[in-house]
Amino acid sequence: MIKQPNATYTRVGMITKVLDQECGWKYSSRNNYKSKLDNNQYCNKCNLTPQFPLNRYRLVVTMYNRKTTIKLGIFDKDVEKIVGKPITAMKKIYEQ
């Protein structure tokens, strides 16, 4: 196959492992930025500490596609589609 510039390619594979112990499964961010807040809940992008930080999904997984295994990150709405629950509901389950 000849790869064309500016083309979009889709790979189909199977998630073989979720690396949540290594990277965690969620992170906090500001409402208007998806960048991660630091450990003090401070946004380095806008130099503010948000009053109500948002939790967002972040999964790091290994994926196998019959030829190779790769590690990749899946974020927010894409994880919600896989899990079938918004992060607010999953956080309540996790805290129980």
Side-chain angles (χ1 to χ4, degrees):
M1 171 173 69
I2 299 172
K3 291 189 177 184
Q4 301 296 318
N6 301 321
T8 300
Y9 297 92
T10 302
R11 286 226 119 147
V12 177
M14 178 174 58
I15 295 173
T16 56
K17 189 173 188 180
V18 176
L19 305 170
D20 66 328
Q21 297 300 319
E22 180 181 320
C23 304
W25 60 276
K26 63 179 177 58
Y27 70 99
S28 296
S29 73
R30 277 201 59 211
N31 188 16
N32 27 350
Y33 299 125
K34 291 187 177 182
S35 1
K36 182 179 177 182
L37 300 176
D38 70 13
N39 290 339
N40 297 317
Q41 299 297 301
Y42 183 77
C43 179
N44 291 308
K45 189 170 188 172
C46 63
N47 299 319
L48 293 172
T49 301
Q51 186 175 3
F52 302 106
L54 290 179
N55 286 304
R56 297 183 189 274
Y57 280 119
R58 177 193 69 191
L59 289 183
V60 178
V61 300
T62 57
M63 186 172 161
Y64 177 72
N65 72 348
R66 294 189 189 184
K67 291 185 179 182
T68 188
T69 299
I70 61 170
K71 185 191 285 190
L72 60 108
I74 308 171
F75 292 90
D76 220 15
K77 295 296 179 189
D78 293 326
V79 176
E80 190 173 316
K81 289 177 191 173
I82 294 168
V83 173
K85 293 184 184 314
I87 193 160
T88 52
M90 188 57 74
K91 193 171 178 219
K92 286 179 186 175
I93 293 167
Y94 183 77
E95 289 170 351
Q96 292 175 356

